[in-house]
Amino acid sequence: MTNLETNKKNCEIIESKIKLDAKPVAMKLIKTEEDLIEGYDLIDEKIRHCEMVRKASLGSKFYSTIEEQMCLGGAGAIGLRDMPEKLANGEKYFSLGRFQDLETAKNLTSKLSIIKDIHWGIIYAPLDEADFEPDVIEIITEPVGGMKLAQSIVYKTGEKIEPSFAGIQSLCGDAFANPYLSDGVNFTLGCDGSRKAADIKDNEMTVGISKAKINEVISGLESI
């Protein structure tokens, strides 16, 4: 089965089991320009990673380099650049009033999921149009959809799920970098940036699934 056929099948199963208002999104980091897959054009605007995820969920397929990434924190989390120093050391989030003091901010930012291996670009596509093996699939859904995905995981593992999120760097750190680095699945409740910029609704959350776990999740969904 080709990558496209596999992704179409997986998308059909996800959509048959989970209430979605948009497509699951397939993403793949590319190390150099030579690794770029044919059929994907450079995005024609400068927006945030979370906005790119939303754009792909609504049917667009494209790729981005660091030049098209408006949010430097998001670009740092997904491995297109080093994390900006004031984000990495907590100063930015402390200045925004997110933490009681700088020490607390530093404690949290030191634990954020960040891909430190720098890549040239990243490809985005609706899952059922992706002719590549995704590094991560992100699903934007209501909590009941998150529940179904959780049930699909524990069906196979028999272990409770331990999501990792903090209300910041949600679609970049929590839903992409975390599963990418852990070869796992992560659940996240969004962040101010993704809710404002990427139109993640008040009643929506996001689940990131690594390529190492997608078969397990799909098998579980089919079984429950």
Side-chain angles (χ1 to χ4, degrees):
M1 195 178 291
T2 66
N3 286 327
L4 180 58
E5 290 169 337
T6 298
N7 290 333
K8 280 181 178 290
K9 175 177 173 288
N10 289 346
C11 189
E12 287 173 4
I13 293 167
I14 293 168
E15 290 179 323
S16 72
K17 296 286 187 174
I18 298 173
K19 178 187 174 186
L20 299 177
D21 291 326
K23 294 286 185 181
V25 176
M27 287 163 284
K28 182 178 183 62
L29 285 170
I30 44 181
K31 193 66 179 173
T32 69
E33 186 172 2
E34 287 69 38
D35 298 325
L36 186 61
I37 300 167
E38 288 186 16
Y40 294 85
D41 294 326
L42 183 66
I43 189 170
D44 60 359
E45 56 186 332
K46 187 167 185 170
I47 55 177
R48 297 164 177 82
H49 164 77
C50 56
E51 292 178 278
M52 294 187 191
V53 174
R54 174 58 89 183
K55 189 179 179 77
S57 79
L58 298 176
S60 298
K61 49 187 286 191
F62 53 87
Y63 74 93
S64 162
T65 70
I66 183 58
E67 298 301 324
E68 293 73 48
Q69 296 279 342
M70 180 183 290
C71 175
L72 299 185
I78 65 173
L80 295 190
R81 59 157 289 157
D82 291 331
M83 185 63 71
E85 184 178 356
K86 289 188 176 181
L87 285 178
N89 65 20
E91 289 181 24
K92 177 66 174 179
Y93 290 115
F94 175 60
S95 72
L96 294 173
R98 300 287 181 84
F99 298 93
Q100 63 180 359
D101 51 45
L102 183 56
E103 190 69 24
T104 306
K106 286 181 178 179
N107 183 61
L108 188 282
T109 54
S110 70
K111 298 173 181 175
L112 292 174
S113 298
I114 297 168
I115 298 170
K116 295 182 179 178
D117 186 21
I118 306 302
H119 292 73
W120 176 81
I122 181 171
I123 303 172
Y124 302 79
L127 180 58
D128 58 358
E129 295 184 41
D131 54 357
F132 55 86
E133 182 182 27
D135 288 328
V136 174
I137 295 167
E138 289 191 22
I139 300 172
I140 301 167
T141 181
E142 293 181 358
V144 67
M147 178 195 76
K148 287 284 189 185
L149 287 165
Q151 291 170 342
S152 76
I153 296 165
V154 301
Y155 179 86
K156 291 284 186 180
T157 66
E159 299 290 341
K160 291 187 73 174
I161 295 164
E162 298 181 359
S164 174
F165 61 89
I168 58 176
Q169 295 200 349
S170 179
L171 271 70
C172 53
D174 294 343
F176 186 86
N178 179 289
Y180 180 92
L181 293 168
S182 68
D183 284 335
V185 180
N186 198 28
F187 294 67
T188 178
L189 298 182
C191 59
D192 289 341
S194 62
R195 293 199 181 278
K196 291 175 183 175
D199 194 31
I200 304 299
K201 306 290 194 301
D202 288 353
N203 65 336
E204 290 179 327
M205 60 180 292
T206 304
V207 181
I209 307 169
S210 67
K211 65 181 176 185
K213 284 290 185 180
I214 187 62
N215 288 340
E216 185 177 301
V217 171
I218 293 298
S219 176
L221 280 175
E222 288 183 297
S223 301
I224 60 175

mmCIF file of all heavy atoms in Angstrom, residues 43-84:
data_model
loop_
_atom_site.group_PDB
_atom_site.id
_atom_site.type_symbol
_atom_site.label_atom_id
_atom_site.label_comp_id
_atom_site.label_asym_id
_atom_site.label_seq_id
_atom_site.Cartn_x
_atom_site.Cartn_y
_atom_site.Cartn_z
ATOM 1 N N ILE A 43 4.246 27.865 0.896
ATOM 2 C CA ILE A 43 3.102 28.658 1.325
ATOM 3 C C ILE A 43 3.331 30.127 0.942
ATOM 4 O O ILE A 43 4.465 30.622 1.021
ATOM 5 C CB ILE A 43 2.862 28.499 2.840
ATOM 6 C CG1 ILE A 43 1.533 29.156 3.246
ATOM 7 C CG2 ILE A 43 4.028 29.021 3.659
ATOM 8 C CD1 ILE A 43 1.119 28.840 4.673
ATOM 9 N N ASP A 44 2.288 30.806 0.510
ATOM 10 C CA ASP A 44 2.441 32.157 -0.037
ATOM 11 C C ASP A 44 2.148 33.255 0.969
ATOM 12 O O ASP A 44 1.813 34.385 0.599
ATOM 13 C CB ASP A 44 1.553 32.326 -1.273
ATOM 14 C CG ASP A 44 0.076 32.128 -0.951
ATOM 15 O OD1 ASP A 44 -0.251 31.842 0.225
ATOM 16 O OD2 ASP A 44 -0.748 32.238 -1.879
ATOM 17 N N GLU A 45 2.256 32.963 2.244
ATOM 18 C CA GLU A 45 2.048 33.980 3.276
ATOM 19 C C GLU A 45 2.888 33.642 4.500
ATOM 20 O O GLU A 45 3.330 32.503 4.664
ATOM 21 C CB GLU A 45 0.565 34.071 3.664
ATOM 22 C CG GLU A 45 -0.039 32.755 4.115
ATOM 23 C CD GLU A 45 -1.536 32.862 4.352
ATOM 24 O OE1 GLU A 45 -2.017 33.946 4.689
ATOM 25 O OE2 GLU A 45 -2.222 31.835 4.193
ATOM 26 N N LYS A 46 3.104 34.633 5.336
ATOM 27 C CA LYS A 46 3.870 34.422 6.561
ATOM 28 C C LYS A 46 2.897 34.367 7.727
ATOM 29 O O LYS A 46 2.287 35.377 8.091
ATOM 30 C CB LYS A 46 4.892 35.561 6.761
ATOM 31 C CG LYS A 46 5.846 35.319 7.928
ATOM 32 C CD LYS A 46 7.026 36.277 7.896
ATOM 33 C CE LYS A 46 8.030 35.930 8.986
ATOM 34 N NZ LYS A 46 9.294 36.674 8.862
ATOM 35 N N ILE A 47 2.722 33.171 8.285
ATOM 36 C CA ILE A 47 1.781 32.967 9.382
ATOM 37 C C ILE A 47 2.404 32.025 10.416
ATOM 38 O O ILE A 47 3.521 31.552 10.243
ATOM 39 C CB ILE A 47 0.432 32.398 8.882
ATOM 40 C CG1 ILE A 47 0.646 31.107 8.078
ATOM 41 C CG2 ILE A 47 -0.323 33.436 8.060
ATOM 42 C CD1 ILE A 47 -0.638 30.447 7.606
ATOM 43 N N ARG A 48 1.677 31.753 11.465
ATOM 44 C CA ARG A 48 2.179 30.903 12.542
ATOM 45 C C ARG A 48 2.016 29.421 12.201
ATOM 46 O O ARG A 48 1.150 29.052 11.420
ATOM 47 C CB ARG A 48 1.413 31.213 13.836
ATOM 48 C CG ARG A 48 1.597 32.629 14.332
ATOM 49 C CD ARG A 48 0.537 32.993 15.358
ATOM 50 N NE ARG A 48 0.744 34.330 15.900
ATOM 51 C CZ ARG A 48 0.352 35.440 15.309
ATOM 52 N NH1 ARG A 48 -0.273 35.390 14.123
ATOM 53 N NH2 ARG A 48 0.567 36.620 15.872
ATOM 54 N N HIS A 49 2.831 28.583 12.852
ATOM 55 C CA HIS A 49 2.695 27.132 12.666
ATOM 56 C C HIS A 49 1.265 26.678 12.934
ATOM 57 O O HIS A 49 0.698 25.892 12.162
ATOM 58 C CB HIS A 49 3.657 26.379 13.596
ATOM 59 C CG HIS A 49 3.324 24.931 13.763
ATOM 60 N ND1 HIS A 49 3.617 23.974 12.810
ATOM 61 C CD2 HIS A 49 2.687 24.264 14.779
ATOM 62 C CE1 HIS A 49 3.191 22.788 13.232
ATOM 63 N NE2 HIS A 49 2.629 22.935 14.410
ATOM 64 N N CYS A 50 0.670 27.152 14.023
ATOM 65 C CA CYS A 50 -0.689 26.712 14.353
ATOM 66 C C CYS A 50 -1.675 27.119 13.263
ATOM 67 O O CYS A 50 -2.625 26.373 12.957
ATOM 68 C CB CYS A 50 -1.123 27.233 15.716
ATOM 69 S SG CYS A 50 -1.034 29.029 15.947
ATOM 70 N N GLU A 51 -1.453 28.284 12.639
ATOM 71 C CA GLU A 51 -2.304 28.698 11.524
ATOM 72 C C GLU A 51 -2.099 27.796 10.311
ATOM 73 O O GLU A 51 -3.036 27.532 9.553
ATOM 74 C CB GLU A 51 -2.007 30.149 11.151
ATOM 75 C CG GLU A 51 -2.419 31.162 12.205
ATOM 76 C CD GLU A 51 -2.068 32.576 11.803
ATOM 77 O OE1 GLU A 51 -0.888 32.974 11.988
ATOM 78 O OE2 GLU A 51 -2.957 33.289 11.296
ATOM 79 N N MET A 52 -0.866 27.329 10.123
ATOM 80 C CA MET A 52 -0.590 26.415 9.014
ATOM 81 C C MET A 52 -1.304 25.083 9.236
ATOM 82 O O MET A 52 -1.830 24.483 8.287
ATOM 83 C CB MET A 52 0.919 26.218 8.856
ATOM 84 C CG MET A 52 1.639 27.483 8.427
ATOM 85 S SD MET A 52 3.380 27.198 8.045
ATOM 86 C CE MET A 52 3.993 28.896 7.929
ATOM 87 N N VAL A 53 -1.325 24.625 10.481
ATOM 88 C CA VAL A 53 -2.055 23.398 10.798
ATOM 89 C C VAL A 53 -3.532 23.580 10.478
ATOM 90 O O VAL A 53 -4.157 22.726 9.832
ATOM 91 C CB VAL A 53 -1.867 23.006 12.279
ATOM 92 C CG1 VAL A 53 -2.753 21.814 12.631
ATOM 93 C CG2 VAL A 53 -0.410 22.689 12.571
ATOM 94 N N ARG A 54 -4.094 24.703 10.901
ATOM 95 C CA ARG A 54 -5.505 24.972 10.619
ATOM 96 C C ARG A 54 -5.745 25.063 9.107
ATOM 97 O O ARG A 54 -6.725 24.514 8.602
ATOM 98 C CB ARG A 54 -5.938 26.269 11.304
ATOM 99 C CG ARG A 54 -7.345 26.720 10.956
ATOM 100 C CD ARG A 54 -8.379 25.665 11.312
ATOM 101 N NE ARG A 54 -8.861 25.792 12.663
ATOM 102 C CZ ARG A 54 -9.728 24.955 13.230
ATOM 103 N NH1 ARG A 54 -10.166 23.909 12.544
ATOM 104 N NH2 ARG A 54 -10.121 25.120 14.467
ATOM 105 N N LYS A 55 -4.859 25.720 8.395
ATOM 106 C CA LYS A 55 -5.002 25.872 6.941
ATOM 107 C C LYS A 55 -5.010 24.504 6.258
ATOM 108 O O LYS A 55 -5.830 24.228 5.378
ATOM 109 C CB LYS A 55 -3.846 26.726 6.422
ATOM 110 C CG LYS A 55 -3.939 27.163 4.956
ATOM 111 C CD LYS A 55 -2.737 28.031 4.595
ATOM 112 C CE LYS A 55 -2.771 28.467 3.145
ATOM 113 N NZ LYS A 55 -3.729 29.551 2.900
ATOM 114 N N ALA A 56 -4.113 23.623 6.688
ATOM 115 C CA ALA A 56 -4.065 22.272 6.115
ATOM 116 C C ALA A 56 -5.303 21.473 6.494
ATOM 117 O O ALA A 56 -5.807 20.670 5.695
ATOM 118 C CB ALA A 56 -2.800 21.557 6.578
ATOM 119 N N SER A 57 -5.823 21.695 7.680
ATOM 120 C CA SER A 57 -7.022 20.967 8.111
ATOM 121 C C SER A 57 -8.236 21.346 7.271
ATOM 122 O O SER A 57 -9.198 20.583 7.184
ATOM 123 C CB SER A 57 -7.310 21.236 9.593
ATOM 124 O OG SER A 57 -7.942 22.493 9.790
ATOM 125 N N LEU A 58 -8.161 22.503 6.626
ATOM 126 C CA LEU A 58 -9.260 22.973 5.785
ATOM 127 C C LEU A 58 -9.030 22.665 4.307
ATOM 128 O O LEU A 58 -9.766 23.139 3.448
ATOM 129 C CB LEU A 58 -9.472 24.475 6.000
ATOM 130 C CG LEU A 58 -9.880 24.866 7.435
ATOM 131 C CD1 LEU A 58 -9.971 26.380 7.577
ATOM 132 C CD2 LEU A 58 -11.188 24.209 7.846
ATOM 133 N N GLY A 59 -7.960 21.892 4.015
ATOM 134 C CA GLY A 59 -7.804 21.387 2.658
ATOM 135 C C GLY A 59 -6.562 21.793 1.883
ATOM 136 O O GLY A 59 -6.351 21.317 0.775
ATOM 137 N N SER A 60 -5.715 22.657 2.451
ATOM 138 C CA SER A 60 -4.523 23.111 1.724
ATOM 139 C C SER A 60 -3.344 22.186 1.987
ATOM 140 O O SER A 60 -3.205 21.615 3.068
ATOM 141 C CB SER A 60 -4.146 24.535 2.145
ATOM 142 O OG SER A 60 -5.177 25.449 1.824
ATOM 143 N N LYS A 61 -2.460 22.041 0.978
ATOM 144 C CA LYS A 61 -1.214 21.294 1.143
ATOM 145 C C LYS A 61 -0.067 22.165 0.654
ATOM 146 O O LYS A 61 -0.170 22.798 -0.401
ATOM 147 C CB LYS A 61 -1.264 19.953 0.411
ATOM 148 C CG LYS A 61 -1.744 20.008 -1.013
ATOM 149 C CD LYS A 61 -1.933 18.626 -1.613
ATOM 150 C CE LYS A 61 -0.635 17.949 -1.930
ATOM 151 N NZ LYS A 61 -0.821 16.719 -2.748
ATOM 152 N N PHE A 62 1.010 22.207 1.419
ATOM 153 C CA PHE A 62 2.094 23.149 1.142
ATOM 154 C C PHE A 62 3.287 22.817 2.028
ATOM 155 O O PHE A 62 3.208 21.923 2.875
ATOM 156 C CB PHE A 62 1.627 24.583 1.422
ATOM 157 C CG PHE A 62 1.041 24.767 2.805
ATOM 158 C CD1 PHE A 62 1.843 25.064 3.892
ATOM 159 C CD2 PHE A 62 -0.326 24.599 3.017
ATOM 160 C CE1 PHE A 62 1.315 25.206 5.169
ATOM 161 C CE2 PHE A 62 -0.876 24.733 4.296
ATOM 162 C CZ PHE A 62 -0.051 25.038 5.363
ATOM 163 N N TYR A 63 4.376 23.561 1.833
ATOM 164 C CA TYR A 63 5.487 23.433 2.764
ATOM 165 C C TYR A 63 5.919 24.814 3.220
ATOM 166 O O TYR A 63 5.576 25.832 2.602
ATOM 167 C CB TYR A 63 6.664 22.670 2.137
ATOM 168 C CG TYR A 63 7.482 23.429 1.117
ATOM 169 C CD1 TYR A 63 8.627 24.132 1.485
ATOM 170 C CD2 TYR A 63 7.117 23.423 -0.230
ATOM 171 C CE1 TYR A 63 9.389 24.818 0.548
ATOM 172 C CE2 TYR A 63 7.873 24.105 -1.175
ATOM 173 C CZ TYR A 63 9.005 24.803 -0.778
ATOM 174 O OH TYR A 63 9.740 25.483 -1.711
ATOM 175 N N SER A 64 6.661 24.850 4.302
ATOM 176 C CA SER A 64 7.155 26.103 4.871
ATOM 177 C C SER A 64 8.613 25.943 5.252
ATOM 178 O O SER A 64 9.044 24.863 5.653
ATOM 179 C CB SER A 64 6.334 26.468 6.118
ATOM 180 O OG SER A 64 7.009 27.422 6.918
ATOM 181 N N THR A 65 9.374 27.031 5.126
ATOM 182 C CA THR A 65 10.706 27.111 5.713
ATOM 183 C C THR A 65 10.609 28.075 6.895
ATOM 184 O O THR A 65 9.531 28.596 7.206
ATOM 185 C CB THR A 65 11.749 27.624 4.704
ATOM 186 O OG1 THR A 65 11.499 29.014 4.453
ATOM 187 C CG2 THR A 65 11.676 26.845 3.388
ATOM 188 N N ILE A 66 11.717 28.358 7.532
ATOM 189 C CA ILE A 66 11.698 29.296 8.657
ATOM 190 C C ILE A 66 11.214 30.680 8.222
ATOM 191 O O ILE A 66 10.599 31.407 9.001
ATOM 192 C CB ILE A 66 13.099 29.393 9.323
ATOM 193 C CG1 ILE A 66 13.067 30.313 10.550
ATOM 194 C CG2 ILE A 66 14.147 29.849 8.333
ATOM 195 C CD1 ILE A 66 12.092 29.915 11.620
ATOM 196 N N GLU A 67 11.450 31.038 6.954
ATOM 197 C CA GLU A 67 11.105 32.370 6.472
ATOM 198 C C GLU A 67 9.605 32.642 6.509
ATOM 199 O O GLU A 67 9.178 33.787 6.614
ATOM 200 C CB GLU A 67 11.621 32.573 5.049
ATOM 201 C CG GLU A 67 13.126 32.480 4.902
ATOM 202 C CD GLU A 67 13.862 33.506 5.761
ATOM 203 O OE1 GLU A 67 13.346 34.634 5.900
ATOM 204 O OE2 GLU A 67 14.940 33.170 6.283
ATOM 205 N N GLU A 68 8.787 31.602 6.415
ATOM 206 C CA GLU A 68 7.330 31.776 6.384
ATOM 207 C C GLU A 68 6.686 31.616 7.755
ATOM 208 O O GLU A 68 5.472 31.739 7.894
ATOM 209 C CB GLU A 68 6.693 30.772 5.402
ATOM 210 C CG GLU A 68 7.050 31.003 3.959
ATOM 211 C CD GLU A 68 8.486 30.611 3.632
ATOM 212 O OE1 GLU A 68 8.901 29.500 4.021
ATOM 213 O OE2 GLU A 68 9.202 31.426 2.991
ATOM 214 N N GLN A 69 7.507 31.329 8.774
ATOM 215 C CA GLN A 69 6.985 31.114 10.118
ATOM 216 C C GLN A 69 6.988 32.432 10.897
ATOM 217 O O GLN A 69 8.035 32.968 11.231
ATOM 218 C CB GLN A 69 7.830 30.070 10.849
ATOM 219 C CG GLN A 69 7.792 28.686 10.227
ATOM 220 C CD GLN A 69 6.563 27.884 10.625
ATOM 221 O OE1 GLN A 69 5.890 28.193 11.612
ATOM 222 N NE2 GLN A 69 6.269 26.841 9.864
ATOM 223 N N MET A 70 5.802 32.934 11.194
ATOM 224 C CA MET A 70 5.704 34.212 11.905
ATOM 225 C C MET A 70 6.045 34.079 13.390
ATOM 226 O O MET A 70 6.671 34.966 13.971
ATOM 227 C CB MET A 70 4.287 34.776 11.761
ATOM 228 C CG MET A 70 4.074 36.104 12.463
ATOM 229 S SD MET A 70 2.364 36.687 12.326
ATOM 230 C CE MET A 70 2.303 37.105 10.587
ATOM 231 N N CYS A 71 5.633 32.977 14.001
ATOM 232 C CA CYS A 71 5.845 32.786 15.434
ATOM 233 C C CYS A 71 7.187 32.084 15.648
ATOM 234 O O CYS A 71 7.336 30.899 15.326
ATOM 235 C CB CYS A 71 4.708 31.961 16.034
ATOM 236 S SG CYS A 71 4.940 31.533 17.773
ATOM 237 N N LEU A 72 8.154 32.790 16.186
ATOM 238 C CA LEU A 72 9.493 32.223 16.346
ATOM 239 C C LEU A 72 9.536 31.160 17.438
ATOM 240 O O LEU A 72 10.324 30.224 17.370
ATOM 241 C CB LEU A 72 10.501 33.338 16.628
ATOM 242 C CG LEU A 72 10.633 34.410 15.530
ATOM 243 C CD1 LEU A 72 11.747 35.392 15.879
ATOM 244 C CD2 LEU A 72 10.864 33.781 14.163
ATOM 245 N N GLY A 73 8.665 31.301 18.437
ATOM 246 C CA GLY A 73 8.579 30.271 19.465
ATOM 247 C C GLY A 73 8.057 28.970 18.890
ATOM 248 O O GLY A 73 8.572 27.888 19.181
ATOM 249 N N GLY A 74 7.029 29.070 18.050
ATOM 250 C CA GLY A 74 6.485 27.885 17.392
ATOM 251 C C GLY A 74 7.504 27.255 16.467
ATOM 252 O O GLY A 74 7.669 26.028 16.436
ATOM 253 N N ALA A 75 8.219 28.088 15.699
ATOM 254 C CA ALA A 75 9.247 27.584 14.789
ATOM 255 C C ALA A 75 10.376 26.915 15.560
ATOM 256 O O ALA A 75 10.955 25.919 15.111
ATOM 257 C CB ALA A 75 9.786 28.720 13.928
ATOM 258 N N GLY A 76 10.688 27.455 16.738
ATOM 259 C CA GLY A 76 11.717 26.845 17.583
ATOM 260 C C GLY A 76 11.274 25.501 18.123
ATOM 261 O O GLY A 76 12.053 24.550 18.159
ATOM 262 N N ALA A 77 10.017 25.408 18.514
ATOM 263 C CA ALA A 77 9.499 24.158 19.074
ATOM 264 C C ALA A 77 9.510 23.037 18.044
ATOM 265 O O ALA A 77 9.842 21.897 18.360
ATOM 266 C CB ALA A 77 8.085 24.362 19.613
ATOM 267 N N ILE A 78 9.169 23.356 16.775
ATOM 268 C CA ILE A 78 9.046 22.302 15.760
ATOM 269 C C ILE A 78 10.356 22.021 15.025
ATOM 270 O O ILE A 78 10.392 21.197 14.118
ATOM 271 C CB ILE A 78 7.935 22.618 14.736
ATOM 272 C CG1 ILE A 78 8.276 23.872 13.906
ATOM 273 C CG2 ILE A 78 6.590 22.768 15.436
ATOM 274 C CD1 ILE A 78 7.286 24.133 12.770
ATOM 275 N N GLY A 79 11.429 22.705 15.406
ATOM 276 C CA GLY A 79 12.740 22.345 14.877
ATOM 277 C C GLY A 79 13.180 23.073 13.632
ATOM 278 O O GLY A 79 14.020 22.566 12.890
ATOM 279 N N LEU A 80 12.654 24.287 13.392
ATOM 280 C CA LEU A 80 13.101 25.064 12.239
ATOM 281 C C LEU A 80 14.136 26.128 12.608
ATOM 282 O O LEU A 80 14.734 26.731 11.729
ATOM 283 C CB LEU A 80 11.908 25.732 11.542
ATOM 284 C CG LEU A 80 10.882 24.797 10.886
ATOM 285 C CD1 LEU A 80 9.904 25.603 10.043
ATOM 286 C CD2 LEU A 80 11.546 23.732 10.039
ATOM 287 N N ARG A 81 14.344 26.358 13.894
ATOM 288 C CA ARG A 81 15.342 27.320 14.373
ATOM 289 C C ARG A 81 15.578 27.049 15.861
ATOM 290 O O ARG A 81 14.851 26.282 16.493
ATOM 291 C CB ARG A 81 14.876 28.764 14.168
ATOM 292 C CG ARG A 81 13.564 29.112 14.861
ATOM 293 C CD ARG A 81 13.415 30.613 15.104
ATOM 294 N NE ARG A 81 14.338 31.044 16.163
ATOM 295 C CZ ARG A 81 14.767 32.306 16.304
ATOM 296 N NH1 ARG A 81 14.368 33.237 15.463
ATOM 297 N NH2 ARG A 81 15.587 32.613 17.282
ATOM 298 N N ASP A 82 16.590 27.711 16.412
ATOM 299 C CA ASP A 82 16.789 27.653 17.856
ATOM 300 C C ASP A 82 15.668 28.426 18.541
ATOM 301 O O ASP A 82 15.143 29.404 17.990
ATOM 302 C CB ASP A 82 18.135 28.272 18.240
ATOM 303 C CG ASP A 82 19.320 27.429 17.778
ATOM 304 O OD1 ASP A 82 19.169 26.200 17.679
ATOM 305 O OD2 ASP A 82 20.389 28.023 17.506
ATOM 306 N N MET A 83 15.302 28.005 19.724
ATOM 307 C CA MET A 83 14.283 28.717 20.483
ATOM 308 C C MET A 83 14.809 30.106 20.866
ATOM 309 O O MET A 83 15.931 30.226 21.362
ATOM 310 C CB MET A 83 13.929 27.930 21.741
ATOM 311 C CG MET A 83 12.788 28.540 22.542
ATOM 312 S SD MET A 83 11.212 28.596 21.653
ATOM 313 C CE MET A 83 10.771 26.861 21.638
ATOM 314 N N PRO A 84 14.036 31.180 20.617
ATOM 315 C CA PRO A 84 14.471 32.516 21.024
ATOM 316 C C PRO A 84 14.823 32.548 22.514
ATOM 317 O O PRO A 84 14.115 31.953 23.334
ATOM 318 C CB PRO A 84 13.240 33.378 20.731
ATOM 319 C CG PRO A 84 12.517 32.648 19.643
ATOM 320 C CD PRO A 84 12.740 31.191 19.921
#
